[in-house]
Amino acid sequence: MKTVNLPDWLAEDEPCDTGSGKTSFVEKNITHLVRSLASLRDQRRTGSLPEKIHPAVKLPAVVLLILLISLGTAAYIQVMSVILLVLLSMMPLWLLKRVLALGLISAAFTLLTLIPALWFGFGGHIFLVTARVWLSVSFSSLLALTTSRHGLVRALKIVHIPDLVILIFDVTLKYIFILTEVTLHLFYALKARSVGSSGRHAVWGIAGTLFLKSKEMAEELYGAMVCRGFSGTYRLREKPAFHLADGLCAGFILLSVCLFFILK
Amino acid sequence: MHIPDNYLSPETCLVMGAAMVPVLAVSIRRVRKKVQAGGVPLIGVGAALSFLVMMFNIPVPGGTTAHAVGGTLLSILLGPAAACLALSAALLIQALFFGDGGLLALGANLFNMAFVMPYAGYAFYRMLLRLTRRNILSAAVASWVALNLASLFAGIEFGVQPLLFSDARGLPLYAPYPPEIAVPAMLIPSLTVAGAAEIAFTAGVLSFLKKVSPAMLSQKQVLPAGKLMVALMTIILLTPLGLLAAADAWGEWSRHDLRNALGYLPHGMAEGFDFHAPLADYTFSGLPDVIGYILSALAGTAVLVIVFRLLKIHKKKDAEQ
């Protein structure tokens, strides 16, 4: 009969620590990763109006809005806040909830960081700055939550962003998803391997493996793209169709620009 | 009828605020038990409606103004507990964003307009309905009685201030007018102009609903969202009519006006709590008053609709548990 020698690492004793709650480190990471994967996969399409606006209209619109908000007077900020509130009150509930949460959290954080200014007597514009942050974050999260990844890449191409930037953006978005999945698998392996121990010691290993893995994948990806004839340029297959929502969005931007100059 | 800050002593505000805690708790519990998840946003629409109605100021002989509240109407449509919550939300937003009614005095304002008015209005309505069997007539009379009852309470709250709080020289510390002036001053506009507005508003909306959606009056069916939005938008566009009478209501003067009228400013008011609402008096800097009024109406309505739509989520979660 053939005998197999156990490798050294399998024969080592693993300290078993069950009671102190330290084991939850791996569990916590797994839950967190599963949650972020779920939110990455969660491309909800409910057919609401902001989803219908073409990304090529929406993206420059939001950039322009953020510019106007950062330059606008206090009166302009007040009027834009009312407009945002009215827009939000008509959004689908899931969108309303997430845009509101993102906007309010950033506004609260800004207010917190500005409190020292109040202390030193420079607090004159503290609420104006907070309102600007709230508006900018809300409008950009409206864009992010209602636009698919492909839509955004297409929009970047239409507004003549250099191909290299689009490539980096595209690959980044794609690989955030893939690498999160790889990390999740690494944590599953760590959980199976280290029964009872906290697994904290293996974090550097996970980070290192992730780095090696991503380097490998990047090379494979580049090879595959070159094999399929990718020459570094993105081409648009179809002409974007005009939708009523695009007209509404354009009208809204026009109104915002007019308001900006009226309230100057 | 919105009592501003510093007209009532902090002690009165505290007592009124404390009195509202159990009322709100009971109302929330009742709404949770009775109202379906789909009905919560309707409470928000009710709140928005009363918020808008309170923006229509009507001139009262003597140079002041008054407005309807819609408390009885809301309690007939939504039930008194839901109406109490809707009115509380509307009053809170008015105090926080528009400086209409004080923050410290919020408890007193809630007591008069969000507790006395809907609960008393509903009780009168049920009683009259049993006697007359005519719902619009009963609602109209009940709304008039409830508005006057709320005014009476506001008048008493103003009136007891000089009796309870005065300085060493005997000068009042807070609201300066005794009950024999404050109560009639509050009641006369309510008995006449504001009462008539409340009757017109309650009876008007009810007869409209009787025509459009009779089932709603028996709490079986909800008015379609589209029609509600059109109705709200129409009222929002009409709110600048409230500007035609822009004078301050009795008991809502600025410190400057009160000093001019009395020749001195009560000590407690001069050094009282000072809260600057971001959109005080429903105005936007650099914009005409009419636009400011419409924008304020839009903002208030949007905030109320958002808040009650978000509450719907929690309601659903409660139902799942």
Side-chain angles (χ1 to χ4, degrees):
Chain A
M1 203 175 130
K2 205 176 166 188
T3 54
V4 180
N5 286 332
L6 272 179
D8 291 342
W9 62 268
L10 254 182
E12 267 174 36
D13 285 340
E14 279 275 349
C16 189
D17 173 16
T18 47
S20 65
K22 278 183 186 166
T23 41
S24 65
F25 170 71
V26 176
E27 289 288 342
K28 253 188 219 162
N29 275 296
I30 287 176
T31 338
H32 176 72
L33 286 168
V34 168
R35 224 179 270 158
S36 26
L37 267 179
S39 72
L40 282 172
R41 281 203 187 109
D42 185 21
Q43 291 269 335
R44 245 189 280 200
R45 291 288 160 259
T46 45
S48 62
L49 196 67
E51 287 169 51
K52 283 184 190 148
I53 305 171
H54 197 280
V57 179
K58 223 185 318 185
L59 181 69
V62 169
V63 173
L64 184 66
L65 265 184
I66 292 177
L67 192 74
L68 293 178
I69 287 165
S70 54
L71 294 175
T73 54
Y76 182 72
I77 298 297
Q78 282 181 340
V79 176
M80 287 310 283
S81 307
V82 174
I83 293 177
L84 177 66
L85 281 174
V86 173
L87 282 178
L88 281 180
S89 71
M90 294 189 286
M91 293 289 144
L93 201 54
W94 68 272
L95 190 60
L96 161 65
K97 213 176 93 183
R98 290 176 71 174
V99 173
L100 211 60
L102 286 169
L104 290 183
I105 289 170
S106 351
F109 186 72
T110 311
L111 199 61
L112 209 69
T113 53
L114 288 177
I115 283 175
L118 205 62
W119 189 265
F120 291 111
F122 298 105
H125 297 293
I126 188 164
F127 290 107
L128 192 62
V129 175
T130 312
R132 278 188 220 273
V133 170
W134 175 63
L135 283 173
S136 312
V137 172
S138 299
F139 278 117
S140 45
S141 52
L142 255 180
L143 169 77
L145 290 169
T146 57
T147 318
S148 68
R149 185 163 57 82
H150 292 294
L152 266 185
V153 170
R154 278 221 312 260
L156 289 175
K157 179 66 195 171
I158 291 173
V159 294
H160 297 290
I161 300 289
D163 283 331
L164 185 68
V165 178
I166 301 181
L167 177 66
I168 294 172
F169 181 74
D170 195 15
V171 172
T172 309
L173 281 175
K174 207 171 289 173
Y175 274 81
I176 285 176
F177 182 74
I178 296 175
L179 288 178
T180 314
E181 214 161 38
V182 170
T183 321
L184 182 65
H185 288 153
L186 285 172
F187 268 105
Y188 276 139
L190 182 64
K191 191 186 170 192
R193 163 89 176 80
S194 55
V195 181
S197 88
S198 74
R200 275 171 205 272
H201 61 280
V203 174
W204 308 119
I206 286 182
T209 316
L210 206 59
F211 177 72
L212 289 176
K213 196 98 180 158
S214 55
K215 192 168 164 279
E216 206 175 286
M217 279 200 280
E219 279 161 10
E220 278 172 14
L221 173 83
Y222 184 69
M225 286 170 94
V226 171
C227 276
R228 300 178 108 208
F230 181 70
S231 60
T233 49
Y234 280 77
R235 266 172 300 170
L236 282 171
R237 290 243 178 92
E238 86 273 29
K239 287 253 173 209
F242 184 80
H243 195 276
L244 175 69
D246 302 336
L248 286 177
C249 179
F252 171 62
I253 293 301
L254 203 67
L255 176 82
S256 315
V257 173
C258 292
L259 272 174
F260 180 81
F261 287 107
I262 292 171
L263 297 172
K264 197 72 191 146
Chain B
M1 209 186 295
H2 294 69
I3 302 175
D5 272 329
N6 302 323
Y7 275 79
L8 302 184
S9 67
E11 292 88 340
T12 318
C13 294
L14 200 69
V15 170
M16 301 305 277
M20 274 315 283
V21 173
V23 173
L24 287 174
V26 168
S27 300
I28 289 172
R29 196 180 298 163
R30 278 197 194 166
V31 167
R32 277 198 171 178
K33 225 185 247 176
K34 283 188 186 163
V35 179
Q36 307 259 310
V40 179
L42 190 66
I43 302 179
V45 174
L49 192 69
S50 96
F51 172 88
L52 292 175
V53 165
M54 287 191 249
M55 287 179 78
F56 285 88
N57 293 314
I58 306 155
V60 176
T64 65
T65 59
H67 58 75
V69 178
T72 312
L73 177 76
L74 288 192
S75 67
I76 293 170
L77 293 179
L78 308 166
C84 171
L85 294 186
L87 284 162
S88 305
L91 289 169
L92 177 68
I93 283 174
Q94 283 180 331
L96 269 184
F97 293 107
F98 303 103
D100 202 2
L103 262 194
L104 276 185
L106 187 67
N109 286 324
L110 288 182
F111 185 86
N112 303 335
M113 283 182 272
F115 170 52
V116 172
M117 200 180 276
Y119 278 97
Y122 191 70
F124 272 110
Y125 169 72
R126 301 294 301 183
M127 201 175 74
L128 290 170
L129 191 63
R130 225 174 288 151
L131 291 175
T132 61
R133 303 261 160 222
R134 294 179 60 183
N135 48 15
I136 292 184
L137 178 76
S138 314
V141 176
S143 69
W144 184 80
V145 174
L147 182 87
N148 282 299
L149 209 58
S151 267
L152 176 69
F153 272 98
I156 294 173
E157 284 151 25
F158 276 124
V160 294
Q161 299 306 312
L163 304 184
L164 294 176
F165 307 97
S166 52
D167 61 12
R169 289 175 294 164
L171 288 175
L173 274 175
Y174 303 100
Y177 297 108
E180 57 270 27
I181 298 178
V183 172
M186 284 306 295
L187 271 182
I188 289 166
S190 302
L191 287 165
T192 53
V193 183
E198 184 84 4
I199 288 178
F201 173 66
T202 310
V205 173
L206 276 182
S207 30
F208 169 77
L209 286 177
K210 211 174 177 183
K211 255 187 236 155
V212 179
S213 167
M216 195 191 167
L217 293 184
S218 51
Q219 311 261 330
K220 278 178 198 150
Q221 196 199 325
V222 170
L223 201 65
K227 275 185 187 164
L228 273 179
M229 289 317 277
V230 172
L232 278 183
M233 278 313 291
T234 317
I235 301 178
I236 287 172
L237 290 177
L238 288 176
T239 44
L241 287 177
L243 277 172
L244 293 176
D248 282 331
W250 196 92
E252 295 183 25
W253 315 282
S254 66
R255 285 178 192 183
H256 180 75
D257 292 344
L258 191 66
R259 194 197 300 270
N260 284 349
L262 287 175
Y264 70 95
L265 194 61
H267 184 68
M269 295 181 82
E271 289 173 12
F273 174 71
D274 204 6
F275 171 73
H276 286 285
L279 302 171
D281 294 329
Y282 305 98
T283 50
F284 282 69
S285 49
L287 282 177
D289 283 355
V290 173
I291 309 268
Y293 227 60
I294 292 180
L295 283 174
S296 304
L298 274 174
T301 312
V303 169
L304 285 167
V305 170
I306 289 175
V307 168
F308 280 90
R309 284 188 67 197
L310 288 177
L311 284 177
K312 188 183 163 189
I313 308 175
H314 294 291
K315 183 81 197 170
K316 262 188 196 159
K317 276 184 190 156
D318 285 350
E320 278 164 15
Q321 276 165 8

